[in-house]
Amino acid sequence: MRQNLVIITSFTFGMSLFGLFGCDNGRNISAICKNNPEICADLHKDGWCLAEKTKLIQNRYELKDNENPTGKQLYLQLTYLEDYSRCIELASGVQHIIHTNRTADRARAFRLSTQNLSLLQDQTRERQDPFMSYYQWTRFGDTAALNRLLEHENAGEVTDPFLLAQVATYYSNRNAIKAQQLYLKVFAEIQYDDFDVNWLLGLASAYRHQQVFDKAYMLTKANLLLTQQKYSEEKMLALLGGNKTLATELDLKAQALIDALKNGTYSQSPVRQWLDPQAVDQAPTTTEAVPPAPVEKTD
């Protein structure tokens, strides 16, 4: 497989589109496209799917000088292209009455996006790093890729919190203790902007399988507070045997967990110590230097 990945697609009239790699600066997509037209040549030109198009252009721009992209970088390129393709597929079905060329341009962009996605999938199919193993498993049902991913995790080679959370989800209905350990590690390392509230339910499920119902209740309540979903108080209390006093205490812990995750203070928070006392006990400790005793003067 070529190390310097170049995505090439052709128009029906034989024009090469773009390479991922080149050179320039800037995050503004208008400037990027102006200075690197090969990055944007296959994309539509109007304002539809702006968020998806922006992420795709910026990611291509970040990769353009990289001859050896990481598995995560390629995973992001693939997923951004998937998102763009899905969005522009819908947009291509919207007929523009006055500017019919815009409808045709979106249809062209959808056709090329599917071609580019298929090509990039083929180019990366032999990659065996954790991120690409995860992609091949989830997109193609490749059980060999799943086994590789699990082997990578067992060997300590999966360190990205997002990917650890996906492995934790896999173990949720298979090995509750393993899922619990992985989710707790994710909570301690993830940035809140990248946090998925469903992971709270995943960890709650792991505790429920172990019949640790107070922690299952607290995590479920944190999810409900964040998502603002309606729920049955009666069913929630049933987890605690109807103990309303304990429920009130755990409601406060749920809010404390949310605050700690949002503020980036979870790793040092009391709520982490309650959820994961073993990790806290194993954390390195520091001791303050004891100043020497004053020397007594003698005449």
Side-chain angles (χ1 to χ4, degrees):
M1 172 185 156
R2 289 172 297 168
Q3 291 300 311
N4 187 358
L5 280 175
V6 178
I7 299 180
I8 300 293
T9 268
S10 57
F11 293 121
T12 54
F13 39 87
M15 179 178 179
S16 293
L17 279 184
F18 67 92
L20 280 182
F21 312 111
C23 59
D24 195 31
N25 268 326
R27 298 291 296 171
N28 180 280
I29 64 169
S30 296
I32 291 173
C33 291
K34 179 180 179 180
N35 296 322
N36 307 270
E38 73 282 0
I39 287 179
C40 309
D42 62 319
L43 307 179
H44 70 293
K45 296 178 177 59
D46 64 21
W48 284 82
C49 304
L50 182 59
E52 291 81 2
K53 183 167 70 170
T54 297
K55 287 182 179 180
L56 180 58
I57 290 172
Q58 290 176 342
N59 183 259
R60 286 177 172 179
Y61 178 76
E62 290 171 0
L63 287 181
K64 65 188 179 60
D65 289 326
N66 191 340
E67 296 185 357
N68 295 291
T70 66
K72 183 175 183 178
Q73 289 171 325
L74 291 172
Y75 173 81
L76 290 174
Q77 176 68 195
L78 284 159
T79 54
Y80 289 154
L81 189 51
E82 287 175 343
D83 292 342
Y84 173 79
S85 186
R86 278 192 295 268
C87 184
I88 203 63
E89 179 182 15
L90 295 175
S92 66
V94 179
Q95 300 297 315
H96 204 292
I97 298 174
I98 300 175
H99 301 288
T100 56
N101 60 308
R102 296 183 185 178
T103 302
D105 183 53
R106 293 195 294 267
R108 175 197 68 98
F110 169 61
R111 182 179 70 254
L112 295 175
S113 70
T114 59
Q115 293 174 5
N116 285 327
L117 177 59
S118 178
L119 181 57
L120 187 54
Q121 287 173 338
D122 288 343
Q123 288 180 326
T124 58
R125 198 62 183 264
E126 300 303 315
R127 295 277 299 228
Q128 298 190 359
D129 55 84
F131 263 97
M132 291 312 303
S133 295
Y134 172 70
Y135 184 86
Q136 291 153 16
W137 167 47
T138 55
R139 298 317 191 271
F140 309 125
D142 188 338
T143 54
L146 168 62
N147 291 332
R148 281 199 308 273
L149 175 62
L150 300 180
E151 289 169 3
H152 282 304
E153 192 282 319
N154 284 330
E157 296 167 358
V158 177
T159 58
D160 185 273
F162 166 80
L163 205 52
L164 284 172
Q166 308 317 307
V167 178
T169 301
Y170 169 80
Y171 280 118
S172 290
N173 296 322
R174 296 171 176 85
N175 186 334
I177 294 176
K178 177 77 170 180
Q180 172 196 322
Q181 292 169 343
L182 291 172
Y183 276 126
L184 288 171
K185 188 173 183 181
V186 170
F187 282 28
E189 298 177 2
I190 197 78
Q191 298 293 315
Y192 186 72
D193 288 345
D194 300 319
F195 187 80
D196 186 337
V197 295
N198 289 320
W199 297 340
L200 292 163
L201 297 180
L203 182 54
S205 176
Y207 279 122
R208 193 161 53 247
H209 276 92
Q210 299 171 71
Q211 298 188 352
V212 183
F213 295 117
D214 56 345
K215 293 180 180 180
Y217 173 97
M218 187 276 277
L219 290 158
T220 303
K221 188 60 178 285
N223 173 272
L224 292 169
L225 290 172
L226 283 170
T227 59
Q228 297 185 338
Q229 292 186 37
K230 294 181 180 179
Y231 63 95
S232 167
E233 289 278 2
E234 184 179 351
K235 289 182 179 179
M236 286 291 291
L237 280 172
L239 281 171
L240 305 175
N243 189 332
K244 293 184 178 180
T245 301
L246 178 57
T248 300
E249 177 187 333
L250 295 172
D251 288 348
L252 295 175
K253 277 187 166 64
Q255 187 59 55
L257 172 61
I258 293 170
D259 294 340
L261 290 170
K262 286 184 174 181
N263 297 334
T265 58
Y266 171 79
S267 293
Q268 297 81 35
S269 67
V271 71
R272 183 198 181 187
Q273 187 170 10
W274 179 74
L275 271 176
D276 192 13
Q278 184 176 1
V280 176
D281 291 343
Q282 293 175 350
T285 57
T286 57
T287 56
E288 295 183 7
V290 179
V295 177
E296 185 177 347
K297 294 183 179 180
T298 56
D299 295 331

